[in-house]
Amino acid sequence: MVHIPHIVAIPYPAQGHVLPLMELSLWLVKEGCKITFVNSEFNHKRVIKALSENDDVQKKISLVSIPDGLGPEEDRTDLKKLTEAIAEVMPGKLEEVINMINECDKNGVSCVIVDENMGWALGVAEKLNIRRVAFWPAAAATLASLFSVSKLIDDGIIDSEGAILKKQGIKLSPNMPIMNPSDFAWACFPDPAMRKMIIELVKDNNERVKSADWIICNSAKELEPGAFAMFPQVSPIGPLLASNRLGFSAGHFWPEDSNCLKWLDQQPRNSVIYVAFGSLTILDSIQFQELALGLELSKRRFLWVVRENLLTEEAADNAYPKGFKDRIGNRGHIVKWAPQQEVLAHPSIACFLSHCGWNSTVESVSNGVPFLCWPYFADQLFNQSYICDVWKVGLGFNKNEFGIIGKEEIKNKMDQLFGDEAFKERALDLQEKVKSSVKGGGSSNKMFGKFIDWIKTAQ
């Protein structure tokens, strides 16, 4: 009888972490594995609610949930509170899930795949003597910066609590691009207590990840060769995209509005600016209005994702400039959440005005779409430097003296990007490299094959 590996996958409870681990899980199902996907109760409900009627994800994957330690109404954007609650509640609950599977499935759990930010889950698996995989959903260079925290402290770049001591750019290794210390993932938090907690968490994760049998990363050697050369124990198996699997993306927190694809069908090739800020970016009403006016001023077609909690104060419908929707007419299309991979693959898309989250970055790169960069926090700031300075496939915006990106700046950068075909040419060159990495014989494809072979080996 053929042994079917049973894998427990547990993401960090945020949209940008759930999506790529769900995608990896669907790849593993395709390879003949059984998956139990463990979300927090809060996110599990959102994922189930957002699944479309024809979505067969629940037939392929066992979706289960455990509490994250916070009540239904508590603020999960308070990362300090969330992290402390997770550490207190989730380890014991995850152990219960694994023990329950082991009682019901005679072969038991083959291995756990854990978001690297959840190092404690590697500890649970080690305690239960189960094979362990750490999954990094973002850029390898960001992981390299986290692995280098102790050295950064020793070299006087940051202090022991994460505060920046040297502001000039540094290279983690000779082959890596220059990193601005202010772009480190923890540096965006002004609260010293928050920064200190993240640094301590990073150090703890760095120790726990040493027990992992594999560290796999949702990136490709072709995108960031220096980072993978610096940490050869990190294995590139990405980009993990539904389009490469010939399937649909799953794990969204909001229902996708696929009607926008019909609107895109009616637009000329390379004419539409796709505007989307991921799941965490928040804009105040002044910045929101400047963005709206910039899109209006550009006279270009646009598809804009305005999710329900994008604004700080008002509901989105009351926040647009007076008469904005009437003036733009059918030139613009606004949705609450979009099927992003399908949007970026659409021939009418000309560029992506993005928060530069890693999922958005690799999705755009994989479709040869240039960027207008509007990073919000954490690793998004460094991802912008990859896009603009290393790959040279996008432009960033400059803020005015009030910290606002003004409508004229938005229009001017759009004109600049549309007026220089070199951005599109470089984006298409990069697309070709990345696509070849996931095809048969490509670097990510070969690495994924080795990983699957390991998964299927006898316990």
Side-chain angles (χ1 to χ4, degrees):
M1 191 174 174
V2 178
H3 168 61
I4 298 173
H6 192 151
I7 298 159
V8 171
I10 179 159
Y12 181 82
Q15 180 71 98
H17 296 253
V18 170
L19 283 172
L21 188 54
M22 181 69 81
E23 184 57 40
L24 173 60
S25 298
L26 288 164
W27 276 92
L28 291 169
V29 167
K30 194 180 173 191
E31 293 290 339
C33 299
K34 189 190 289 187
I35 304 286
T36 297
F37 197 92
V38 185
N39 259 319
S40 67
E41 283 177 354
F42 183 80
N43 289 337
H44 174 78
K45 286 173 185 167
R46 299 164 87 187
V47 167
I48 297 296
K49 192 176 174 186
L51 287 173
S52 61
E53 288 174 19
N54 58 0
D55 209 317
D56 63 351
V57 169
Q58 287 176 277
K59 292 177 189 168
K60 295 176 178 175
I61 292 175
S62 174
L63 301 177
V64 304
S65 67
I66 56 177
D68 60 13
L70 294 181
E73 303 304 318
E74 289 190 79
D75 181 12
R76 282 162 175 80
T77 62
D78 183 338
L79 294 182
K80 190 169 187 298
K81 194 174 179 182
L82 177 62
T83 302
E84 288 167 352
I86 284 172
E88 193 173 328
V89 171
M90 277 190 152
K93 295 297 181 182
L94 177 62
E95 190 172 336
E96 285 176 21
V97 167
I98 293 172
N99 286 333
M100 199 158 45
I101 293 169
N102 288 340
E103 285 171 19
C104 301
D105 184 334
K106 66 175 194 254
N107 290 317
V109 174
S110 307
C111 81
V112 296
I113 301 179
V114 173
D115 191 302
E116 199 275 346
N117 293 284
M118 306 271 274
W120 57 263
L122 292 169
V124 171
E126 187 174 18
K127 176 186 172 185
L128 299 174
N129 199 26
I130 298 168
R131 298 198 297 176
R132 302 169 286 289
V133 178
F135 175 62
W136 183 249
T142 302
L143 183 58
S145 70
L146 300 180
F147 282 171
S148 302
V149 156
S150 294
K151 188 175 188 308
L152 291 169
I153 293 170
D154 292 344
D155 291 349
I157 308 296
I158 61 173
D159 68 15
S160 61
E161 298 185 357
I164 306 300
L165 300 178
K166 290 185 181 174
K167 297 220 169 12
Q168 66 268 36
I170 61 159
K171 283 192 170 194
L172 293 178
S173 80
N175 297 323
M176 280 185 67
I178 291 172
M179 295 184 85
N180 186 334
S182 63
D183 290 348
F184 289 143
W186 60 86
C188 64
F189 298 101
D191 176 21
M194 182 70 193
R195 274 201 316 269
K196 183 181 180 185
M197 186 201 75
I198 291 173
I199 290 293
E200 291 306 317
L201 194 64
V202 167
K203 288 178 181 174
D204 183 59
N205 288 338
N206 288 348
E207 281 306 306
R208 290 184 184 274
V209 84
K210 289 174 184 174
S211 77
D213 299 288
W214 279 75
I215 307 170
I216 52 176
C217 178
N218 186 25
S219 185
K221 198 171 278 188
E222 288 75 6
L223 283 175
E224 36 181 352
F228 288 112
M230 184 183 181
F231 289 103
Q233 70 269 40
V234 179
S235 302
I237 62 163
L240 293 159
L241 299 179
S243 53
N244 296 334
R245 184 174 45 82
L246 301 178
F248 291 98
S249 175
H252 294 274
F253 290 175
W254 297 276
E256 295 173 319
D257 183 346
S258 53
N259 286 327
C260 63
L261 297 172
K262 294 172 189 168
W263 179 83
L264 287 173
D265 289 340
Q266 298 162 15
Q267 312 309 316
R269 283 181 72 88
N270 294 320
S271 68
V272 176
I273 299 162
Y274 174 54
V275 185
F277 293 98
S279 59
L280 292 173
T281 301
I282 295 171
L283 303 178
D284 64 27
S285 57
I286 295 170
Q287 184 61 86
F288 184 86
Q289 294 220 353
E290 286 295 313
L291 173 55
L293 293 169
L295 290 168
E296 182 182 342
L297 203 58
S298 76
K299 303 270 196 288
R300 301 185 190 279
R301 293 171 173 83
F302 63 88
L303 169 60
W304 187 7
V305 177
V306 181
R307 61 166 211 278
E308 58 195 27
N309 58 347
L310 179 65
L311 281 126
T312 45
E313 297 133 17
E314 312 96 323
D317 283 340
N318 302 324
Y320 297 95
K322 196 171 180 184
F324 169 75
K325 289 186 176 179
D326 292 333
R327 292 193 300 273
I328 60 164
N330 195 45
R331 177 165 67 80
H333 190 78
I334 299 169
V335 295
K336 288 185 176 177
W337 198 246
Q340 184 161 289
Q341 290 187 35
E342 293 166 81
V343 167
L344 288 167
H346 199 283
S348 70
I349 295 295
C351 80
F352 185 9
L353 196 164
S354 170
H355 69 306
C356 307
W358 187 248
N359 291 318
S360 294
T361 299
V362 294
E363 286 164 8
S364 198
V365 160
S366 297
N367 285 292
V369 176
F371 294 81
L372 289 164
C373 298
W374 191 310
Y376 179 60
F377 83 142
D379 64 323
Q380 299 160 14
L381 301 157
F382 171 71
N383 295 343
Q384 174 180 274
S385 71
Y386 257 160
I387 292 163
C388 297
D389 306 328
V390 179
W391 306 329
K392 296 182 170 31
V393 294
L395 293 170
F397 294 108
N398 296 315
K399 293 180 178 178
N400 63 21
E401 66 270 29
F402 305 109
I404 296 291
I405 299 170
K407 57 183 183 288
E408 294 285 352
E409 166 70 2
I410 293 165
K411 177 195 178 293
N412 290 343
K413 286 291 163 65
M414 287 176 181
D415 290 346
Q416 195 179 330
L417 193 77
F418 275 79
D420 187 345
E421 288 182 11
F423 285 103
K424 182 66 175 176
E425 287 165 10
R426 286 192 291 267
L428 290 171
D429 284 345
L430 192 59
Q431 176 192 24
E432 196 50 46
K433 289 179 186 171
V434 172
K435 285 189 101 165
S436 68
S437 76
V438 294
K439 286 179 183 166
S443 57
S444 288
N445 182 279
K446 281 186 192 168
M447 188 63 76
F448 188 69
K450 288 180 185 173
F451 177 60
I452 290 296
D453 289 344
W454 175 83
I455 288 271
K456 290 182 176 179
T457 54
Q459 303 303 293

